[in-house]
Every structure is written in structure tokens, then in C-alpha cells.
Amino acid sequence: MGAVALKALQSREKLSITEIAGAPITGSLDPQVVFWTSGEPPLGSIPLRVLPTVHPAFVARYPLWTRQFRAHVQKAFRFFHGNIRWRDPKYILNPEPSLLREIIGRFRGSYCVYDIETCPPDHLEGRAARKHALKPATALLRCVALGNQHLAVICFFRTIDGALAMPSDKAGQTMEVLRDFFSDTSIAKAGWNSGGYDCVVIERYFGILPKPSLDGILLHRLAEPEAPHTLAYAGMSRTDVSAWKEA
């Protein structure tokens, strides 16, 4: 419990306790007391389950963390006893436009969550590239993901390095199907920060605004004003999803 205990286990990427609190982590502890979450641990390592959370003293100072702390402890008991309540959805990468349209049709009369990722313009590198990757008015659309708890679809238009990821004719047809999805009022849509960054990018590329659409980050700010408002934190605090980043 707490930042000191988490720091003792981290051997690679250094994450703050509030970034990873509530995340079930499965790994191995080697003879040098180094915690491994990926790769091949040394001989003699023992399997270990870890669920970081904030220290009780932190909760005493910031009472609004009481609900999250209790939820983390309850999740830890489920995790350690093998009763975790999370199942990854089936996902499809870059489906043909006809299949994408058929899948979207399954969401009519129900709901669907969506997200987008961007990359910097082709001619920029280094610090300028990182800066423009975060600007919705200049960033390039890299992928669009949508789905529910059972099925997710990811459409890659560019690779992580910015190269084109699908033929131009397929990209055009996929964009048309996604444009119909964002304008389909029979599908309730939700996202994280979707009312800000995502909306600007979607309007640039598709010429429309998603409707109807709910931005979860606004509700989270109302429900837990003192907590971090990242999607990773909300997911690990409200569900049994595993850690999104390595410890």
C-alpha cells in the first residue's frame, strides 16, 4: 500500500501510485527481489499477484478516496482468489468495410463506446512532432476504435510511425462507414474526453459531430473531483481490468 511499496516493486517504467492504483498485476519475483511483469524471469523466481493501492494515511488526509480504497481492497480479494470480474472482448483489426458496416448494425438500439488515436504530421520530427500530435487541429488520424463489452473493432489508417496502414480505396470506404456510424442517432455513443479532443478530430476528418454522444470524463469530474481523470485510472477503479502499463 502506498507509493513507497510500489516504488520497491518497480524495475522499469516508474508510475505514480495514483496512475496504477487498483490495477491487478501478475508477475514474478526473482531472487534479487526484482518484480517482473514481462519477459522471462530468472531461474528461481516465484509467481506473484500484486494490486497496488494508496496508503490508508493518504485516505485519512483525502476522504474522497475512501470509496476507491475500499473498492481496491475488495478487488484485491477477488484477484488473489482467482475471481476477477473482467473478460477482454473479442476484437477485429481493419475489417473489410462491409463487415464493419454489419458489425455497427449490431449496435443499433443499444450503445457503443469509441476512441481515436492520432499521430503528428509527416514532415515533423522530435519535439515538434510530439507537440503537434496533441493538437487536434493539426494531428493526423491514426485509428478509430469502437465496440462494447463483447466485441471491438479497430480501424488503422496509419501505423504508429505515421505510414499508411491500408490501401486508399479501402480507407475511403471505411471512412464512409464510420461517418454513417457517427451520425446514426439510433446508436448511443460514449467516449473519454470525446467531447473535446476527439470531437475536433472527427469533425475535421468526417465533417460531422458524433450524436448522441456522452463524454465520460465530465461525469468522472463530477463524481470524483479529487481523483485523476485518466481513462486508465477510471477503468482500474471502476472495473477489474488489468494494468494498462507495466510496473
Side-chain angles (χ1 to χ4, degrees), residues 102-213:
E102 188 273 324
I103 292 173
I104 290 174
R106 303 178 196 177
F107 301 137
R108 290 195 176 94
S110 183
Y111 75 94
C112 179
V113 297
Y114 69 93
D115 190 24
I116 67 166
E117 296 293 339
T118 58
C119 57
D122 297 331
H123 64 283
L124 297 177
E125 297 180 357
R127 182 179 297 179
R130 293 192 296 272
K131 180 179 179 181
H132 281 269
L134 300 176
K135 289 187 174 182
T138 56
L140 301 178
L141 179 65
R142 187 162 73 86
C143 69
V144 177
L146 54 93
N148 58 19
Q149 71 269 36
H150 304 297
L151 178 63
V153 177
I154 307 173
C155 301
F156 283 99
F157 297 99
R158 291 178 178 267
T159 66
I160 195 170
D161 298 321
L164 296 177
M166 66 171 71
S168 59
D169 57 339
K170 180 179 178 180
Q173 295 174 42
T174 300
M175 293 281 285
E176 187 62 37
V177 176
L178 290 173
R179 183 179 293 107
D180 292 342
F181 160 72
F182 286 124
S183 61
D184 191 337
T185 57
S186 69
I187 303 174
K189 305 167 190 70
W192 200 261
N193 199 27
S194 55
Y197 188 94
D198 291 11
C199 269
V200 176
V201 176
I202 289 171
E203 187 172 23
R204 277 181 56 214
Y205 276 87
F206 298 95
I208 58 171
L209 292 174
K211 56 183 181 181
S213 183

Side-chain angles (χ1 to χ4, degrees), residues 8-9 27-36 41-48 50:
L9 284 176
S28 299
L29 194 66
D30 71 17
Q32 279 70 48
V33 199
V34 174
F35 186 56
W36 293 66
L43 189 65
S45 300
I46 59 173
L48 191 67
V50 175

Side-chain angles (χ1 to χ4, degrees), residues 9-45:
L9 284 176
Q10 292 187 111
S11 58
R12 297 175 179 81
E13 185 176 0
K14 303 302 182 183
L15 303 174
S16 73
I17 185 64
T18 54
E19 287 179 304
I20 202 170
I25 304 172
T26 300
S28 299
L29 194 66
D30 71 17
Q32 279 70 48
V33 199
V34 174
F35 186 56
W36 293 66
T37 57
S38 62
E40 187 66 28
L43 189 65
S45 300

